[in-house]
Amino acid sequence: MKRVCALLLTFVMMFPFSLFAESPDSLRGFSLTSSKTQRDWETKFRGIPQPNNMREYMRHLSARPHHVGSPYDKENAEWILAKFKEFGLDAHIETFDVLFPTPKVRLVEMLEPSKFTAKLDEPTIATDPTTNQKSEQLPTYNAYSIDGDVTGPLVFVNYGLPKDYEELERLGISVKGAIVIAKYGNSWRGIKPKVAAEHGAIGCLIYSEPKDDGYFEENVFPEGPMRNAQGVQRGSAMDFPSSNPGDPLTPGYGATPNGKRLDIKNAASITKIPVLPISYGDAQPLLAALKGPVAPESWRGALPITYHVGPGAAKVHLKVQSNWDLKPVNDVIAKIPGAVAPDEWIVRGNHHDAWVNGAEDPTSGQVALLEEARALGELLKQGWKPRRTIIYCAWDGEEPMLLGSTEWVETHADELRKHAAVYINTDGNGRGFLNLEGSHSLERVMNDVARDIQDPETGMTVWNRLHLAEIHEAKSAEDRAELRRRRDPRMGALGSGTDYTAFVDHLGIAGLNLGFEGETPQGIYHSIYDDFYWYTHFSDSEFVFGRALAQTVGTTVLRMADAEVLPFEFGNFADTVHKYNTELQKLLKDKQDQITEQNKQLEEGAYKAADDPRKPTVPPKHKDVPPYLNFAPLQNAADTLTRSADRYERAFAAAQSKVDNGTNATSINELNRQLIETERALTSDAGLPRRSWYKHLLYAPGVYTGYQPKTVPGVREGIEQDRYPEAEQEIVRVSKALSDEAAIIDKASSILESLK
Ligand SMILES: [Zn+2]
């Protein structure tokens, strides 16, 4: 009954906002007159970024390995600094000292039933000129793996997620005292050793399965873009979702040179068991030696073997040891002071460090950022003056786990809380469709920007192409209908895995993450083969999507920086909250139904009846059916939000002719102040349960997903992890934040209504 009501309400609430469509000439947040000037500046801006410049920047930045602490990482920071200055921007380097382990000992060997020692080495490729830079390449490893020397039987655990261990339990397999081997993918890689340790494993190997990013998909490098037999995905294994990203020794505050630091043994984000990544060339003999039950069908990959779960005769020795040194990270920061509202900041960033040469990750995004900065410099020379302050950031230390951006945010937390209106992030870029993720108060403005960018391949707008492709790919008639009727296609929520995390999750700054993707299959992620040769042969070889990214992000920066009224919109936001509320109620209902059914089948003896005695399985344990939760506070808060958003939209439309009227300057300042506060209202000082660094109550990386967002995380993870009293408390806490948000939107509406 309650659920039906919720669905009906969502349905009714979805439409009112499209009634207030702005006229095609006017831009959201600008008066009619200033819309015209702004359009001229934006058009000029979009004409400036040049693919050839981006190609040359990439050639330079990816010429040598440039991981944290390496000589070329420092050189790149200085090169970017010089570029910013050459473009006419005021720039400097800000340095932090962070814990960054690098490998000292790496060993994987099979002792029984036969001897095999893993190569743990990516071979040079003659046609690819940077793969031979052996002395500067970081060996293949997982950063922040604890040191360890362990020997045990091997067990294959699929992707190594909690539900995989449930399945293992049904097969009667325990990983206690074992070394697990997991496939890369479907979660942040640090989740795999974490869940393995929770189940009693003593070590963890992660391999790249050819079905996921190897020959199953396309030809392997250098003939094609996919991972070859010895290609390895490096990467951080830090358990940041349950503690914090950034330097493990300075959680919550900046890693400044003389700041206090935790003892390494007290650093919560370092793994509990040793972990090492391997290629499928190295994984195949290990997997082939496994006995025990045949792996469930969905677990099997594309290697020419029968995938068994184990254990069996396979006994493996894993040894990992790192140098646990502090290393400098060099963030390059450039500023363009605002002419009218210098205390309102638009922050834009992309990292510059890589695991090795990193042409795709991160240089393909960094070169777009550089062309934007050059274009802004050009506009300044032509007389453009941004209303707000613009800050461009080239982050260091993103790969180990958002070190440069997190330490910068923690160091400047007070100023950023006061001044930052929005943070716009990019990372690697490729061919395909614009991927939009962000705070939902920005969903409208991002859809508007995408309507002004031309797709390099079809000539239609980026928005149109995305919209039609989404209709084409939609999974249900209902989804297609929503896409056709909704003014703005939905924007994804922010999870983590790149530099917006501290801005959004720790401080509550409205954030965006943008990039083109979907047409470049790739299997070179975090390997020595992610280099200029690969990128210019298999990805955006003409750099036209690089230009499209610079145009998209630059237009967003200009619009956010110049609008008289920050172009936030709350109708889409309120609609998204309604959607989350519906999802959460369904999540609980589905879980109640599933457990009820499972209990019934246990009582009936259905598991026993269906079992093949030659392949016996263990029936699941009886579980208590989850209790009903009171979603009324969330429902009420969402309705209040919808009403406030509706009022704001009316006031906003009525005030458009008054926003550039000088007599209203003080009120407009106060209005923007309130708008900046809206995202802050969604945070709580106490943070999320058991992970207080994460303050945002609507968006967070999942404790068991990492990259993937959990929206309304306190409630959603409460239900998922059987913490029902906690979920109910979280409903109340989120509802309070949403009501506070509605009150701030109402204040903003009052200001708009009082303009002269
Ligand atoms: Zn990256």
Side-chain angles (χ1 to χ4, degrees):
M1 169 90 176
K2 214 192 285 170
R3 203 163 78 88
V4 174
C5 286
L7 282 171
L8 270 177
L9 260 177
T10 311
F11 186 73
V12 173
M13 295 300 162
M14 211 174 303
F15 301 101
F17 312 105
S18 55
L19 302 177
F20 297 92
E22 295 109 44
S23 90
D25 299 329
S26 75
L27 293 171
R28 190 174 175 86
F30 294 81
S31 72
L32 268 180
T33 334
S34 53
S35 288
K36 200 185 161 305
T37 326
Q38 178 70 14
R39 280 223 178 272
D40 290 345
W41 283 122
E42 290 184 3
T43 306
K44 270 186 199 153
F45 175 91
R46 288 194 289 271
I48 300 173
Q50 290 303 322
N52 265 337
N53 288 345
M54 294 191 226
R55 173 188 290 271
E56 291 317 306
Y57 301 154
M58 180 180 282
R59 194 195 300 280
H60 182 92
L61 289 168
S62 67
R64 285 166 53 194
H66 53 108
H67 54 270
V68 168
S70 66
Y72 204 62
D73 183 59
K74 177 101 196 301
E75 263 183 56
N76 273 349
E78 279 158 8
W79 186 86
I80 292 168
L81 176 69
K83 281 283 168 210
F84 281 151
K85 288 182 174 168
E86 181 191 316
F87 302 152
L89 311 187
D90 173 22
H92 67 279
I93 288 182
E94 208 167 323
T95 304
F96 300 97
D97 294 330
V98 296
L99 181 70
F100 177 56
T102 51
K104 196 154 72 180
V105 179
R106 303 169 306 137
L107 174 72
V108 178
E109 54 180 355
M110 184 157 64
L111 307 173
E112 293 166 18
S114 53
K115 292 262 186 213
F116 165 75
T117 306
K119 290 195 186 74
L120 310 178
D121 181 54
E122 298 181 297
T124 294
I125 287 179
T127 49
D128 178 345
T130 60
T131 54
N132 65 357
Q133 298 167 330
K134 286 280 170 200
S135 66
E136 288 186 90
Q137 293 165 354
L138 262 184
T140 56
Y141 80 122
N142 288 133
Y144 304 104
S145 162
I146 195 167
D147 288 350
D149 185 347
V150 293
T151 302
L154 191 68
V155 177
F156 174 48
V157 295
N158 195 28
Y159 291 105
L161 306 180
K163 66 173 175 14
D164 298 322
Y165 287 87
E166 278 169 31
E167 221 161 323
L168 279 176
E169 211 173 299
R170 297 276 334 267
L171 294 172
I173 306 293
S174 161
V175 301
K176 234 180 212 113
I179 294 173
V180 303
I181 179 164
K183 295 188 281 195
Y184 256 120
N186 280 345
S187 78
W188 163 249
R189 71 181 75 70
I191 301 296
K192 299 166 199 289
K194 169 164 96 172
V195 180
E198 285 173 359
H199 287 84
I202 55 169
C204 179
L205 299 171
I206 314 178
Y207 83 99
S208 297
E209 165 57 53
K211 192 170 184 181
D212 294 336
D213 72 354
Y215 53 74
F216 190 75
E217 184 99 2
E218 264 216 42
N219 288 339
V220 302
F221 193 66
E223 285 72 36
M226 306 311 291
R227 203 174 297 273
N228 53 36
Q230 295 302 327
V232 180
Q233 182 189 138
R234 288 160 190 73
S236 174
M238 189 192 269
D239 183 13
F240 78 93
S242 21
S243 51
N244 56 277
D247 176 26
L249 304 185
T250 61
Y253 55 95
T256 48
N258 300 313
K260 57 176 176 162
R261 280 174 171 74
L262 296 179
D263 204 276
I264 290 185
K265 65 178 190 301
N266 296 324
S269 56
I270 293 170
T271 68
K272 302 286 181 282
I273 56 173
V275 51
L276 204 66
I278 60 175
S279 66
Y280 64 76
D282 279 341
Q284 187 173 331
L286 304 179
L287 289 167
L290 289 175
K291 295 280 186 285
V294 170
E297 196 174 330
S298 64
W299 293 29
R300 300 171 204 162
L303 291 169
I305 56 170
T306 302
Y307 285 71
H308 287 264
V309 168
K315 194 177 189 190
V316 169
H317 176 206
L318 164 67
K319 191 171 177 190
V320 179
Q321 232 178 59
S322 292
N323 297 299
W324 292 89
D325 296 335
L326 293 190
K327 294 273 162 58
V329 291
N330 298 298
D331 293 337
V332 195
I333 311 288
K335 251 184 210 173
I336 305 174
V340 178
D343 287 341
E344 295 166 15
W345 298 354
I346 308 303
V347 189
R348 184 315 182 219
N350 192 108
H351 70 102
H352 67 76
D353 69 300
W355 277 115
V356 197
N357 298 68
E360 193 223 33
D361 181 8
T363 310
S364 58
Q366 183 63 232
V367 299
L369 180 145
L370 284 167
E371 272 301 85
E372 290 160 46
R374 186 177 72 81
L376 293 179
E378 289 291 316
L379 294 194
L380 287 169
K381 279 179 211 147
Q382 295 176 29
W384 165 73
K385 289 193 181 79
R387 177 188 176 91
R388 302 186 172 82
T389 295
I390 297 172
I391 303 177
Y392 264 61
C393 311
W395 306 118
D396 197 357
E398 189 269 359
E399 292 297 358
M401 201 55 234
L402 323 179
L403 304 177
S405 57
T406 303
E407 299 313 316
W408 191 80
V409 166
E410 289 175 347
T411 302
H412 300 285
D414 289 343
E415 301 159 83
L416 285 164
R417 257 187 223 108
K418 252 185 247 152
H419 303 304
V422 57
Y423 173 70
I424 307 164
N425 191 71
T426 58
D427 201 323
N429 192 50
R431 297 171 53 238
F433 308 89
L434 180 62
N435 182 37
L436 294 173
E437 297 172 354
S439 301
H440 290 88
S441 50
L442 301 172
E443 188 174 88
R444 169 66 47 87
V445 70
M446 271 325 300
N447 272 279
D448 286 351
V449 168
R451 287 178 170 95
D452 285 340
I453 312 296
Q454 198 187 39
D455 173 65
E457 289 174 336
T458 62
M460 53 174 87
T461 70
V462 156
W463 185 88
N464 213 359
R465 189 175 186 206
L466 175 66
H467 186 225
L468 291 173
E470 281 185 353
I471 290 173
H472 184 69
E473 305 281 323
K475 289 202 178 66
S476 67
E478 201 181 304
D479 289 354
R480 270 192 297 279
E482 187 191 85
L483 278 160
R484 286 183 174 124
R485 76 171 173 248
R486 209 172 183 267
R487 180 194 184 279
D488 305 313
R490 292 186 186 279
M491 192 164 75
L494 294 169
S496 184
T498 183
D499 289 307
Y500 56 75
T501 309
F503 290 90
V504 178
D505 294 345
H506 192 56
L507 295 189
I509 294 163
L512 288 166
N513 190 44
L514 307 171
F516 288 89
E517 61 177 42
E519 290 182 328
T520 307
Q522 64 103 321
I524 44 74
Y525 180 60
H526 292 183
S527 76
I528 63 169
Y529 311 117
D530 177 3
D531 59 14
F532 189 73
Y533 180 93
W534 180 88
Y535 196 84
T536 51
H537 280 78
F538 298 109
S539 188
D540 180 25
S541 41
E542 308 297 320
F543 289 81
V544 287
F545 281 97
R547 175 168 58 193
L549 184 65
Q551 290 171 333
T552 306
V553 181
T555 302
T556 311
V557 168
L558 285 179
R559 211 164 284 184
M560 297 302 306
D562 288 341
E564 278 117 352
V565 180
L566 283 165
F568 289 31
E569 191 273 347
F570 304 101
N572 286 355
F573 174 77
D575 172 46
T576 305
V577 170
H578 276 284
K579 181 170 163 277
Y580 293 160
N581 182 23
T582 309
E583 278 173 18
L584 290 169
Q585 297 190 37
K586 183 172 185 304
L587 177 70
L588 179 64
K589 173 76 168 56
D590 288 352
K591 196 161 173 184
Q592 288 170 328
D593 290 350
Q594 186 261 322
I595 292 176
T596 304
E597 176 62 27
Q598 185 173 302
N599 289 347
K600 198 179 277 174
Q601 290 196 22
L602 279 170
E603 281 158 29
E604 290 167 340
Y607 285 94
K608 208 171 275 173
D611 205 36
D612 176 349
R614 292 192 190 173
K615 297 177 189 165
T617 57
V618 182
K621 290 193 185 75
H622 178 278
K623 275 189 181 170
D624 290 339
V625 177
Y628 289 97
L629 299 178
N630 179 15
F631 285 96
L634 196 53
Q635 188 72 53
N636 286 326
D639 282 2
T640 307
L641 254 184
T642 299
R643 282 191 295 274
S644 298
D646 189 1
R647 178 182 163 198
Y648 181 83
E649 213 48 23
R650 286 170 197 281
F652 185 81
Q656 204 199 6
S657 60
K658 304 171 189 166
V659 295
D660 61 349
N661 175 356
T663 56
N664 285 319
T666 318
S667 304
I668 297 289
N669 278 349
E670 181 50 28
L671 171 62
N672 285 314
R673 183 77 254 132
Q674 295 300 331
L675 291 173
I676 289 176
E677 282 305 308
T678 54
E679 193 83 9
R680 309 285 191 278
L682 300 172
T683 63
S684 134
D685 280 347
L688 295 177
R690 290 169 300 285
R691 43 176 181 157
S692 60
W693 187 90
Y694 292 92
K695 313 276 186 207
H696 206 297
L697 297 179
L698 275 200
Y699 314 120
V703 168
Y704 287 103
T705 60
Y707 287 129
Q708 283 297 314
K710 289 286 173 182
T711 54
V712 204
V715 182
R716 197 179 295 269
E717 292 190 328
I719 296 171
E720 287 172 351
Q721 298 169 19
D722 302 332
R723 302 172 193 270
Y724 301 104
E726 185 176 288
E728 190 138 290
Q729 286 165 13
E730 290 295 304
I731 290 176
V732 174
R733 218 154 65 103
V734 174
S735 308
K736 166 82 173 53
L738 293 171
S739 307
D740 292 350
E741 162 105 354
I744 295 174
I745 298 170
D746 285 344
K747 259 193 231 169
S749 301
S750 300
I751 298 171
L752 282 168
E753 286 156 1
S754 71
L755 292 184
K756 296 185 185 67

